[in-house]
Amino acid sequence: MAARCSTAALCSFFLLISAVLLRFSPLPAAVAWTAVCGAAVSGLSVLWLRRGDSRSSRRACVLVLGDIGRSPRMQYHALSLAKHGYNVTFVGFLDSRPHPDVLREENIKLKAISEFRGIRAGPRLLTYVTKVLAQCLQLLLVLLSLDLQAFILMQNPPGLPGIAVAWLVCWIRGTRFIIDWHNYGYSIMALSHGEKSPVVRLAKWYEHVFGPLASHNLCVTNAMKEDLRKNWGIRSTTLYDRPASAFRETPAKQQHQLFLKLSETYPAFKLSGCGDESPELEQTAFTVRDVNKDTVELKPKRPALLISSTSWTEDEDFSILLKALEEYEALVKGGESLPPLVCVITGKGPQKEFYRTLIDSLRLEHVQICTPWLEAEDYPVLLGCADLGVCLHLSSSGLDLPMKVVDMFGCCLPVCAIRFNCLHELVKHDENGLIFKDSHELAEQLQSLLSNFPADEGKLASFRTNLRRSRGLSWDDNWDQNVLPLIQL
């Protein structure tokens, strides 16, 4: 009904423009008629772009100006929309493989866009401007080529130039525009360019101008909801991240299968030393399978499995973890009764090679570090195998929460997380994890939590028990309560 009223209003508007031009224009008749024709063509173009059918109200576009495979929250949005009968066009980069559930869902269609680099010669500003202009044109053509959608749901950041283009397309086509605020784009840019950079100031102005134009807004924390209201004039709905159903504790047999798979590439998962190499036993560093009985057990004397995940960007300083691991090594060499440690850091990103060089320079005997990129289906399984998670996410705005911790909690995995504003909305210190401020405090926490490993007692076991008791709403239930009412308005 709203779309029909909007179309009627546009027709009336263009007719009024034409009448005024013909009646009152001091211009020559030929010029006036040219203007009338131009207005008519513009009106007809908009009407053509707004053409829909009986299925238009059940179509939705999910837009992320980034890698779909590394955008879990937007993938969950797409799956929830598909579950409720929407035909979803998921627009974004296809650099890595999306979640299998997304690929299997018949109601989700992936629409790949390219990441432009801009002109590589000349000033840095020229590179950035040409990149933005090329991305604008591509997005405009892609979004206008889609069948009429009920709404576009877009992730921010990255929002430049996506917010402006998506809003323009929604205005032209008479559809709704929803922004899901994960953070502020300008605050992330400030990490590498500095707060006083002209590019950062432009990005902040851009978000302040175009952000309030959305029909509805979602955000990830109550702290961000309040900041959007107070400083941006934006009313929003808090949609806390929740783990997907794939994130759960991993049974011993499935752990063994994953460890065997990883041991083909990463020696840390292989059986080492002179253990029992009986042909009746199939072993990894962590598990042993009785071939005859087809039973799997965790080894009583096994390394502790520490896991962290990252996009290898400026908002995570992994030198903090590496220094803590060096202190842990020194504690073991000093006679402390602590288990060997296997540290897995997963993810892709621009600073990965920099940190790989640092890792290779370390001389550790009791700590092994590996940095795999896991397939989407293997990542939750590995989280469900781990003994402790570490989060080094430092929010650029102090208003968002790390999705990786949400996933870890879904697997009932206790976490050590670096302190920043609003982290308390997720990590409850001394209840489901610990919060640290520097590498030395992290090393002390590792010592405290792993001192009696793998005994089923102590703080680590207590945190895991608390997580099992407080799983809370699932993503689906949370989404149905907070987002479904918005899109059904």
Side-chain angles (χ1 to χ4, degrees):
M1 182 65 183
R4 289 197 294 270
C5 291
S6 179
T7 300
L10 276 171
C11 290
S12 301
F13 174 74
F14 285 118
L15 286 173
L16 179 62
I17 292 290
S18 302
V20 170
L21 286 171
L22 286 174
R23 176 67 180 82
F24 298 106
S25 176
L27 299 173
V31 176
W33 274 108
T34 300
V36 169
C37 291
V41 169
S42 298
L44 290 171
S45 297
V46 170
L47 294 176
W48 181 78
L49 288 169
R50 290 190 174 199
R51 73 198 189 284
D53 53 40
S54 59
R55 294 173 294 176
S56 298
S57 63
R58 307 305 298 173
R59 295 194 193 103
C61 173
V62 175
L63 172 62
V64 52
L65 205 57
D67 183 11
I68 289 176
R70 290 194 285 166
S71 304
R73 181 174 166 105
M74 301 312 287
Q75 293 186 73
Y76 299 162
H77 274 305
L79 288 167
S80 293
L81 287 165
K83 173 188 171 184
H84 286 280
Y86 283 87
N87 291 303
V88 180
T89 303
F90 202 158
V91 180
F93 305 151
L94 288 178
D95 297 334
S96 55
R97 189 167 174 264
H99 194 280
D101 289 348
V102 172
L103 297 175
R104 285 193 294 262
E105 176 55 61
E106 294 180 357
N107 286 347
I108 298 177
K109 176 185 176 183
L110 300 180
K111 182 76 173 179
I113 55 176
S114 303
E115 182 176 8
F116 291 99
R117 302 293 182 184
I119 296 175
R120 310 302 288 178
R124 188 176 181 181
L125 182 61
L126 178 64
T127 300
Y128 188 73
V129 169
T130 54
K131 173 183 176 179
V132 169
L133 290 175
Q135 199 76 69
C136 275
L137 181 59
Q138 177 186 216
L139 274 179
L140 191 62
L141 293 174
V142 168
L143 294 179
L144 288 176
S145 70
L146 301 179
D147 291 330
L148 189 66
Q149 311 283 311
F151 56 86
I152 295 176
L153 170 59
M154 180 186 171
Q155 170 185 307
N156 181 60
L160 184 67
I163 293 178
V165 175
W167 168 79
L168 177 61
V169 170
C170 287
W171 180 80
I172 290 173
R173 308 195 74 175
T175 60
R176 287 180 293 164
F177 180 35
I178 304 172
I179 299 177
D180 189 6
W181 296 82
H182 297 193
N183 202 341
Y184 298 141
Y186 79 88
S187 67
I188 294 177
M189 293 176 67
L191 294 174
S192 54
H193 297 282
E195 292 184 4
K196 296 183 178 180
S197 165
V199 174
V200 174
R201 291 181 177 180
L202 175 63
K204 186 174 183 178
W205 170 86
Y206 167 86
E207 283 183 291
H208 268 285
V209 169
F210 288 97
L213 298 179
S215 309
H216 303 291
N217 294 272
L218 305 171
C219 62
V220 293
T221 64
N222 283 330
M224 178 170 282
K225 177 180 180 177
E226 178 61 19
D227 189 73
L228 284 169
R229 183 195 64 79
K230 183 178 179 180
N231 298 317
W232 299 63
I234 294 175
R235 296 175 64 86
S236 58
T237 299
T238 301
L239 178 71
Y240 281 119
D241 282 316
R242 291 287 187 267
S245 58
F247 290 92
R248 56 186 183 273
E249 293 181 80
T250 304
K253 282 189 176 182
Q254 198 174 0
Q255 289 191 39
H256 184 71
Q257 292 168 0
L258 179 62
F259 292 150
L260 285 175
K261 178 179 177 180
L262 292 173
S263 68
E264 295 175 1
T265 308
Y266 304 101
F269 293 92
K270 289 183 178 180
L271 173 67
S272 59
C274 301
D276 186 352
E277 298 182 8
S278 165
E280 297 180 352
L281 300 177
E282 183 181 61
Q283 301 190 62
T284 70
F286 302 89
T287 54
V288 56
R289 172 176 172 258
D290 187 314
V291 176
N292 294 328
K293 298 178 181 178
D294 193 26
T295 57
V296 175
E297 294 180 353
L298 294 174
K299 292 182 173 180
K301 292 185 178 181
R302 63 181 184 275
L305 181 55
L306 183 75
I307 188 165
S308 186
S309 60
T310 178
S311 297
W312 298 108
T313 51
E314 291 89 348
D315 62 349
E316 293 180 311
D317 182 2
F318 266 80
S319 65
I320 294 173
L321 175 58
L322 299 184
K323 289 175 183 176
L325 294 177
E326 287 185 296
E327 287 192 43
Y328 185 92
E329 173 82 9
L331 288 169
V332 177
K333 288 183 175 179
E336 292 291 333
S337 179
L338 294 167
L341 203 56
V342 172
C343 176
V344 180
I345 308 172
T346 72
K348 288 181 181 178
Q351 293 193 320
K352 183 170 184 177
E353 289 308 312
F354 168 77
Y355 281 108
R356 275 274 8 140
T357 302
L358 285 182
I359 291 169
D360 291 342
S361 69
L362 301 178
R363 296 291 179 263
L364 303 175
E365 297 177 16
H366 302 278
V367 178
Q368 298 184 72
I369 305 172
C370 56
T371 57
W373 168 249
L374 297 172
E375 295 295 335
E377 58 267 32
D378 288 338
Y379 177 61
V381 178
L382 185 60
L383 284 187
C385 299
D387 300 299
L388 181 63
V390 171
C391 175
L392 292 162
H393 174 82
L394 274 173
S395 171
S396 60
S397 64
L399 299 171
D400 70 311
L401 293 172
M403 184 70 183
K404 68 193 74 179
V405 173
V406 175
D407 293 338
M408 290 173 182
F409 283 175
C411 296
C412 299
L413 177 63
V415 170
C416 293
I418 194 165
R419 179 184 292 117
F420 66 86
N421 291 339
C422 91
L423 182 62
H424 63 275
E425 291 189 37
L426 179 61
V427 181
K428 313 298 182 185
H429 185 71
D430 233 13
E431 181 178 325
N432 55 19
L434 297 173
I435 297 173
F436 61 88
K437 65 179 183 296
D438 54 31
S439 60
H440 179 66
E441 190 170 10
L442 174 58
E444 290 180 338
Q445 291 177 359
L446 294 179
Q447 179 185 10
S448 170
L449 294 174
L450 299 175
S451 59
N452 61 345
F453 181 85
D456 292 330
E457 56 188 23
K459 266 190 179 180
L460 196 61
S462 174
F463 292 165
R464 194 179 288 271
T465 299
N466 291 340
L467 286 167
R468 288 170 181 153
R469 290 173 178 168
S470 60
R471 292 182 65 89
L473 289 176
S474 67
W475 168 269
D476 289 336
D477 292 337
N478 191 36
W479 194 92
D480 289 354
Q481 286 185 17
N482 292 285
V483 183
L484 191 58
L486 291 179
I487 65 176
Q488 290 181 335
L489 290 175

